[in-house]
Amino acid sequence: GNSVTQMEGPVTLSEEAFLTINCTYTATGYPSLFWYVQYPGEGLQLLLKATKADDKGSNKGFEATYRKETTSFHLEKGSVQVSDSAVYFCALMSGAGSYQLTFGKGTKLSVIP
Amino acid sequence: DGGITQSPKYLFRKEGQNVTLSCEQNLNHDAMYWYRQDPGQGLRLIYYSQIVNDFQKGDIAEGYSVSREKKESFPLTVTSAQKNPTAFYLCASSHQQGRRGNTIYFGEGSWLTVV
């Protein structure tokens, strides 16, 4: 079956620090990969996505590269801000026609001034 | 503004009661979904619907029911058979399935607490 494993949180960083949140997956077929962000008390927002190997998704300074050989989709940002404090979810959708996202458990990020 | 509207934001249920969470979208999306989120956990799929008058069970459908009478609406009923309903419920929608990289968009969520 499909599964997503994210690094355990919480992660606490100082403002302007470099961020990496690791995500690895197991999937049947050839999945699409997503990062969603959830701010306190809110729903999920799509942050970025990639649909094929070596694709790089990017948005708001965040990046993630679809690595098929290592089955990974690590999220990175060069300089975090306090406003980036949120929970980040890695997810996959396995193949065309799939109806379901499989989520990791989420990683809580706190950025301190 | 286009989007997904969930209501109410906060809901309290007494033991033995059924409650219904509303979800409306004006994105002209064909597919709609309900997810449950528990603290420190990822999201789990309750039900999904690809077209009007059709819906399918997800991973944790027991104790829940849905209807899809209109394309823009997908209400979720949490029945008294759901033994542990306290959670954050998220409604979502997407364009017709079958497209690679199909993005699922989420509403703001509804908090349900049993009192």
Side-chain angles (χ1 to χ4, degrees), chain B residues 65-79:
Chain B
S65 65
V66 294
S67 62
R68 187 87 187 275
E69 297 177 1
K70 299 186 295 182
K71 184 176 181 177
E72 59 269 25
S73 178
F74 192 41
L76 173 73
T77 297
V78 184
T79 75

Side-chain angles (χ1 to χ4, degrees), chain A residues 4-27:
Chain A
V4 175
T5 302
Q6 291 181 234
M7 62 186 290
E8 295 281 335
V11 174
T12 302
L13 296 174
S14 297
E15 206 165 21
E16 299 183 2
F18 185 85
L19 169 70
T20 300
I21 300 178
N22 290 338
C23 172
T24 58
Y25 67 89
T26 302

Side-chain angles (χ1 to χ4, degrees), chain B:
Chain B
D1 285 346
I4 302 168
T5 302
Q6 290 187 237
S7 63
K9 180 72 173 179
Y10 301 96
L11 185 60
F12 298 91
R13 191 193 94 169
K14 294 182 179 179
E15 295 284 348
Q17 262 186 346
N18 293 353
V19 293
T20 297
L21 306 179
S22 169
C23 178
E24 304 276 333
Q25 55 96 2
N26 61 4
L27 301 168
N28 199 33
H29 284 169
D30 296 296
M32 297 188 73
Y33 314 80
W34 275 104
Y35 287 86
R36 170 178 170 144
Q37 184 180 20
D38 294 284
Q41 301 295 315
L43 279 69
R44 293 180 292 170
L45 183 66
I46 305 172
Y47 269 98
Y48 69 101
S49 168
Q50 299 183 52
I51 57 172
V52 173
N53 293 323
D54 184 59
F55 48 83
Q56 306 295 327
K57 293 182 179 180
D59 298 323
I60 55 166
E62 185 175 352
Y64 300 97
S65 65
V66 294
S67 62
R68 187 87 187 275
E69 297 177 1
K70 299 186 295 182
K71 184 176 181 177
E72 59 269 25
S73 178
F74 192 41
L76 173 73
T77 297
V78 184
T79 75
S80 57
Q82 171 50 240
K83 298 306 179 188
N84 185 23
T86 296
F88 190 48
Y89 290 87
L90 287 155
C91 179
S93 69
S94 68
H95 285 297
Q96 191 172 30
Q97 298 169 19
R99 293 167 48 178
R100 184 163 190 77
N102 198 25
T103 298
I104 295 178
Y105 298 91
F106 287 82
E108 292 294 306
S110 293
W111 290 94
L112 174 62
T113 303
V114 174
V115 296

Side-chain angles (χ1 to χ4, degrees), chain A residues 61-104:
Chain A
F62 291 90
E63 293 182 340
T65 301
Y66 189 140
R67 299 290 188 198
K68 192 169 188 290
E69 64 277 12
T70 55
T71 61
S72 65
F73 193 53
H74 305 320
L75 182 69
E76 296 182 335
K77 187 175 185 182
S79 175
V80 294
Q81 305 301 312
V82 172
S83 58
D84 292 327
S85 298
V87 180
Y88 293 82
F89 291 92
C90 185
L92 70 84
M93 184 182 293
S94 182
S98 174
Y99 58 86
Q100 185 172 353
L101 283 170
T102 300
F103 285 90

